[in-house]
Amino acid sequence: MQDNPEFNTPDFNCPLPLHSTDHILMGHGGGGKLMQQLIEGLFLPSFNNPLLNQRHDSTVINLGDTRIAFTTDSYVIQPLFFPGGDIGSLAVNGTVNDLAMGGSRPSYLSVGLIIEEGFPIATLEKIIKSMQVAADNANVQIVTGDTKVIDRSHGDHHQGGLLINTAGIGIVEHSETITPRSIQIGDVILLNGDLGRHGMAIMALREGLNFDSPIVSDCAPLAEPILALLDQGIPIHCLRDLTRGGLASAAIELAEAANVEIELTDDAIPVHDTVRGACEILGLDPIYVANEGRFIAIVPPDTVEAALNILHQFFPQQACVIGHVRSKVPNFDRGYVTIRNTLGIKRILTQLSGDLLPRIC
Amino acid sequence: MQDNPEFNTPDFNCPLPLHSTDHILMGHGGGGKLMQQLIEGLFLPSFNNPLLNQRHDSTVINLGDTRIAFTTDSYVIQPLFFPGGDIGSLAVNGTVNDLAMGGSRPSYLSVGLIIEEGFPIATLEKIIKSMQVAADNANVQIVTGDTKVIDRSHGDHHQGGLLINTAGIGIVEHSETITPRSIQIGDVILLNGDLGRHGMAIMALREGLNFDSPIVSDCAPLAEPILALLDQGIPIHCLRDLTRGGLASAAIELAEAANVEIELTDDAIPVHDTVRGACEILGLDPIYVANEGRFIAIVPPDTVEAALNILHQFFPQQACVIGHVRSKVPNFDRGYVTIRNTLGIKRILTQLSGDLLPRIC
């Protein structure tokens, strides 16, 4: 059974062409299959260059004797404030984390604000101050910026009214090649904490779900633990933060890029009871839900104990092993992810074709 | 008369406090006084650091033996296509030019797309291809990106439907300190071509103005001529591209930062007849209108001839001297810009308090 997962899921191994639809759908921004079509069908062929083709959370560039990581992300979350953060802290931590996933030390951020006419200045002040607190916590400087104002939407005021883009530069101080192509058979998948809190904090707000204790986003900067792993000589093969599309989408992207099977162990994946309950109410699977403070590190098996010891200094009792890298079944044309339940039965995880949770990041 | 310009323009030397209004107005994105309040009243004090405080089009950062320039800009132009370009070519050239204004060689761009649900994929393809052509022309690589989809505006479809942020990294290969603080009394102001074409191309489209030959945007990359000036040893003191707020706003910003008088000569400033006509119809002053391929270079007087010779290779018969840097009247608390007419009479230019032309860049 373990070697015979259910292969014939209808949309497995069958990416739709870019023009399967004439118009942009919410799912084109959702981190799943539609977004992959846009990237593979339009952006990569148009902007074709080796740096872009790295297809990592951040691009590594050699400049003289310095290596930098460079990345960008726009934040369109609604509502702007949520338990555990706001669009400002998210815009700092999200980009800091994309830099950290290249193993770089996040250093400099740009900020592009797009504000709807009529947005309250007091709210803007609150968000700007939150960005500065987040930047201080993550040890980055906001060094350049731009502000644009757009006209108020027709009719009633948009719930949001503020979009933020941040781009970031990190300094790469190590010599590891942290990329999906470095993943090897036998590697172990480590996770730093419980899943689904960011996405479900937003959904609970929107859907008016009340719990005894509210779900608090895990939004946090992740560079320090990763730099600690590297400083202490852990030869990290790959890193990925688990944002849009959650653990499942991140693992599928990596398995496909590395052409391997990533086997996850269902009951090793920590999910808080309240998050699991909220997911059940809304019919969602926590491994597809977005996080803003969670990542997987893929490391060689003989470094797992040392790596967990380091991660436990930052995430006590949370960091854990959740899976392994296996050879894929040979006649498959690309890598895939399986999840094994307590009975040892495995199923293949498929990419979301559309959008699980709109405007959560 | 020359030493006695009309000083008492009501809002000269009198910046309004940030809270003169409770809500964001279109003018907060217009490049004038309201935007300056937002920058000086909120962004600079919150994100306070020496790199941001450079307040230049791009920030220069030392990384090991390499100096880089870093900048960001969001593009919200409506309509998305116009004579001479589209939002895609604008998003590449605008950021390339901000890098060039630091005297750097523009090298790497990030692209953040924010797309409204329902946007036609064929239009997106056209814009992405235009970005790639512009990137090739400007010799930059698009190395990292992000896509977000936002829900369709309530009611009818927004005219635009696409916002683009680009951030850019340039390599600084020279040792000049190109900043407003390097401006010296006696310096000469050079301009590379006629003013107002970008802004008036957009306005003519929107207002349905028809001319025998349509006004074509000047949207173009500007790094090559600036690198040529530097390569050939012109000690450029300062550079500024003349986007939002046009020549007037750029000159006022520089005069204030350098604490000098910048004296412009009215009839030395080239404006195409059609542009002048369109400005007259709409009651606008061409020196406040946005350009996307125009810059001023501020150079020492003994290098003017050599600099013009170089600029004429790129802008035949266009590059010219339009003004000079003078000592300011001593009891003024900040620098200012004057413009002298054919009779030798000078008037002080004031910053726009609001927004001249919404969503033109």
Side-chain angles (χ1 to χ4, degrees):
Chain A
M1 195 68 182
Q2 277 151 259
D3 291 321
N4 186 23
E6 203 277 275
F7 293 156
N8 300 314
T9 313
D11 49 6
F12 181 61
N13 276 338
C14 166
L16 296 165
L18 178 62
H19 289 286
S20 60
T21 163
D22 287 340
H23 293 86
I24 292 290
L25 309 175
M26 288 304 295
H28 281 108
K33 192 168 296 192
L34 281 168
M35 176 172 252
Q36 194 181 357
Q37 286 167 29
L38 210 53
I39 293 172
E40 294 182 358
L42 181 55
F43 302 147
L44 290 182
S46 299
F47 299 146
N48 182 34
N49 66 65
L51 291 171
L52 185 65
N53 293 342
Q54 290 175 11
R55 296 196 61 181
H56 205 35
D57 284 332
S58 58
T59 299
V60 174
I61 305 172
N62 292 309
L63 297 177
D65 62 358
T66 306
R67 283 169 81 206
I68 64 167
F70 183 34
T71 193
T72 190
D73 220 328
S74 304
Y75 300 86
V76 300
I77 190 167
Q78 291 195 5
L80 301 176
F81 296 86
F82 49 85
D86 56 58
I87 190 173
S89 56
L90 187 65
V92 170
N93 287 332
T95 294
V96 159
N97 291 347
D98 281 346
L99 292 172
M101 296 307 130
S104 74
R105 182 180 299 282
S107 303
Y108 306 105
L109 295 188
S110 68
V111 174
L113 300 172
I114 300 176
I115 315 175
E116 210 170 82
E117 187 187 7
F119 192 80
I121 288 183
T123 310
L124 182 64
E125 280 187 285
K126 210 166 147 188
I127 289 166
I128 294 296
K129 286 187 177 26
S130 162
M131 292 189 86
Q132 184 50 37
V133 170
D136 285 342
N137 287 342
N139 240 323
V140 294
Q141 292 183 71
I142 292 169
V143 298
T144 188
D146 174 64
T147 305
K148 290 289 184 322
V149 179
I150 59 176
D151 40 331
R152 196 191 283 257
S153 307
H154 308 291
D156 54 356
H157 192 53
H158 247 232
Q159 215 191 332
L162 175 67
L163 312 172
I164 303 181
N165 175 284
T166 50
I169 295 176
I171 313 297
V172 182
E173 293 163 346
H174 61 84
S175 56
E176 304 297 334
T177 308
I178 298 175
T179 137
R181 290 181 198 131
S182 301
I183 296 173
Q184 291 180 18
I185 308 299
D187 280 353
V188 177
I189 322 286
L190 309 180
L191 170 69
N192 71 319
D194 65 306
L195 293 186
R197 287 210 268 123
H198 177 73
M200 295 320 295
I202 306 303
M203 284 305 274
L205 262 189
R206 289 216 204 126
E207 303 291 325
L209 301 183
N210 288 312
F211 301 99
D212 290 342
S213 49
I215 302 173
V216 175
S217 168
D218 58 330
C219 182
L222 295 172
E224 288 310 314
I226 287 165
L227 292 171
L229 290 170
L230 290 166
D231 282 350
Q232 292 177 52
I234 305 294
I236 300 174
H237 287 168
C238 196
L239 294 162
R240 189 60 57 114
D241 59 345
L242 310 179
T243 55
R244 276 182 289 185
L247 169 65
S249 303
I252 291 168
E253 254 187 78
L254 295 183
E256 291 185 354
N259 208 25
V260 296
E261 173 181 341
I262 288 179
E263 184 195 281
L264 302 174
T265 306
D266 199 2
D267 57 7
I269 299 170
V271 178
H272 191 282
D273 284 344
T274 316
V275 170
R276 197 179 293 283
C279 281
E280 274 168 16
I281 292 169
L282 298 170
L284 303 173
D285 184 339
I287 64 173
Y288 286 94
V289 174
N291 313 275
E292 291 292 344
R294 297 294 176 254
F295 69 97
I296 51 175
I298 303 188
V299 299
D302 58 345
T303 64
V304 168
E305 200 185 321
L308 282 179
N309 282 339
I310 297 163
L311 289 177
H312 284 145
Q313 294 164 23
F314 297 90
F315 311 102
Q317 299 175 329
Q318 289 251 32
C320 58
V321 172
I322 59 160
H324 296 82
V325 178
R326 312 264 186 229
S327 309
K328 70 175 178 63
V329 175
N331 59 348
F332 266 50
D333 72 342
R334 51 165 90 190
Y336 51 88
V337 176
T338 57
I339 188 159
R340 177 208 282 263
N341 70 14
T342 41
L343 300 175
I345 296 170
K346 300 206 291 190
R347 66 185 165 93
I348 284 192
L349 293 185
T350 53
Q351 261 190 347
L352 293 177
S353 53
D355 190 42
L356 182 65
L357 303 170
R359 303 189 74 164
I360 48 168
C361 56
Chain B
M1 195 69 183
Q2 276 149 259
D3 291 322
N4 186 23
E6 204 278 274
F7 293 155
N8 299 314
T9 312
D11 48 7
F12 180 62
N13 276 339
C14 166
L16 296 166
L18 177 62
H19 288 286
S20 60
T21 162
D22 286 340
H23 293 86
I24 291 291
L25 309 175
M26 288 305 293
H28 281 108
K33 192 168 296 191
L34 282 168
M35 176 172 254
Q36 193 181 357
Q37 284 166 29
L38 211 51
I39 293 172
E40 294 183 357
L42 181 55
F43 302 148
L44 290 182
S46 299
F47 299 147
N48 182 35
N49 66 65
L51 291 171
L52 184 65
N53 293 342
Q54 291 176 11
R55 295 197 61 180
H56 205 36
D57 284 334
S58 58
T59 300
V60 174
I61 304 172
N62 292 309
L63 297 177
D65 62 358
T66 306
R67 284 169 80 206
I68 65 167
F70 184 33
T71 193
T72 189
D73 221 328
S74 304
Y75 300 86
V76 300
I77 191 166
Q78 289 196 6
L80 300 176
F81 296 87
F82 50 85
D86 57 56
I87 190 173
S89 56
L90 186 66
V92 170
N93 288 332
T95 294
V96 159
N97 291 348
D98 281 345
L99 292 171
M101 296 307 130
S104 74
R105 182 179 298 281
S107 303
Y108 306 105
L109 295 188
S110 67
V111 174
L113 300 171
I114 300 176
I115 315 174
E116 210 171 81
E117 186 188 7
F119 192 79
I121 289 183
T123 310
L124 182 64
E125 281 187 284
K126 211 166 146 187
I127 289 165
I128 293 296
K129 286 186 178 25
S130 162
M131 292 189 86
Q132 184 49 37
V133 170
D136 285 343
N137 287 341
N139 241 322
V140 293
Q141 291 183 70
I142 292 170
V143 298
T144 188
D146 174 64
T147 305
K148 290 289 185 320
V149 179
I150 58 175
D151 40 330
R152 194 191 284 257
S153 306
H154 308 292
D156 55 355
H157 192 52
H158 248 232
Q159 215 191 333
L162 176 66
L163 311 172
I164 303 181
N165 175 284
T166 49
I169 295 176
I171 314 296
V172 182
E173 293 162 347
H174 61 84
S175 56
E176 304 298 335
T177 307
I178 299 175
T179 137
R181 289 180 200 134
S182 301
I183 296 173
Q184 291 181 18
I185 307 300
D187 280 353
V188 176
I189 321 286
L190 309 180
L191 170 68
N192 71 320
D194 65 304
L195 293 187
R197 287 210 269 121
H198 177 73
M200 295 319 295
I202 306 303
M203 283 305 275
L205 263 190
R206 289 216 204 125
E207 303 291 326
L209 301 182
N210 287 312
F211 301 100
D212 290 343
S213 50
I215 301 173
V216 175
S217 168
D218 58 330
C219 182
L222 295 172
E224 288 310 314
I226 286 164
L227 292 171
L229 290 171
L230 289 165
D231 283 352
Q232 293 177 52
I234 306 294
I236 300 174
H237 287 169
C238 196
L239 293 163
R240 188 61 56 115
D241 60 344
L242 310 180
T243 56
R244 276 181 289 184
L247 169 64
S249 304
I252 292 167
E253 253 187 79
L254 296 183
E256 290 186 354
N259 208 25
V260 296
E261 173 181 342
I262 289 179
E263 183 195 282
L264 302 175
T265 306
D266 199 1
D267 57 6
I269 299 169
V271 179
H272 191 283
D273 284 344
T274 316
V275 170
R276 197 178 292 283
C279 281
E280 275 168 15
I281 293 169
L282 298 171
L284 302 173
D285 184 339
I287 63 172
Y288 286 94
V289 174
N291 312 275
E292 291 292 344
R294 297 294 176 253
F295 68 97
I296 51 175
I298 303 188
V299 300
D302 58 345
T303 64
V304 168
E305 200 185 322
L308 282 178
N309 281 339
I310 296 164
L311 289 177
H312 284 145
Q313 294 164 21
F314 297 90
F315 311 101
Q317 299 175 328
Q318 289 251 34
C320 57
V321 172
I322 59 160
H324 296 82
V325 178
R326 311 264 186 230
S327 308
K328 70 177 178 65
V329 175
N331 59 347
F332 266 50
D333 72 341
R334 52 166 89 191
Y336 52 88
V337 177
T338 57
I339 188 159
R340 178 208 282 263
N341 70 13
T342 41
L343 301 175
I345 296 170
K346 302 205 291 189
R347 66 185 165 94
I348 283 193
L349 293 185
T350 52
Q351 262 190 346
L352 293 177
S353 54
D355 191 42
L356 183 66
L357 303 170
R359 302 189 74 163
I360 48 169
C361 56

